[in-house]
Amino acid sequence: MDRNNGSNEDMYADVMWLEKLELNRLLGGKAMTETMWRCDQVRAGQLYNRMMFDTKAEAEQFMQRMQQMEPDQTFSIEAIEASQVWN
């Protein structure tokens, strides 16, 4: 196995993991609570991406995976009341 195949497989696995996480969210998720978790990705002082998660564990797992793929980005996780996200 050469290096390119290994990294392509890893990237595919990461994309599939993220798609499954998003599908879980669209279908109502496993744990709908009053608190959601916001994960911000910042690059060069600018907000690059913002994702919302149902649990802190999901947000932390996402952050860890993204830090492996995008080491030049800074990540922060913050608890947000669900009412601020969904009206």
Side-chain angles (χ1 to χ4, degrees):
M1 176 198 293
D2 64 37
R3 292 176 81 119
N4 288 338
N5 279 346
S7 64
N8 286 341
E9 289 173 11
D10 291 343
M11 286 176 48
Y12 178 76
D14 288 336
V15 168
M16 291 304 298
W17 172 83
L18 186 57
E19 286 180 0
K20 287 178 184 176
L21 183 64
E22 195 60 27
L23 181 60
N24 180 51
R25 169 173 301 304
L26 292 173
L27 296 176
K30 290 182 261 182
M32 290 300 286
T33 64
E34 295 297 315
T35 303
M36 296 190 73
W37 297 87
R38 179 173 69 196
C39 181
D40 289 345
Q41 292 172 262
V42 177
R43 180 185 287 162
Q46 299 291 320
L47 181 63
Y48 180 71
N49 190 20
R50 176 172 282 164
M51 298 279 296
M52 300 298 294
F53 298 91
D54 292 325
T55 66
K56 186 175 183 180
E58 287 175 335
E60 289 173 343
Q61 187 178 17
F62 173 78
M63 181 181 72
Q64 290 171 353
R65 286 182 177 251
M66 291 305 295
Q67 282 178 326
Q68 292 171 354
M69 295 185 327
E70 304 268 356
D72 62 330
Q73 292 186 14
T74 303
F75 296 83
S76 66
I77 296 175
E78 180 181 357
I80 302 292
E81 288 184 37
S83 63
Q84 293 178 349
V85 178
W86 310 111
N87 257 333

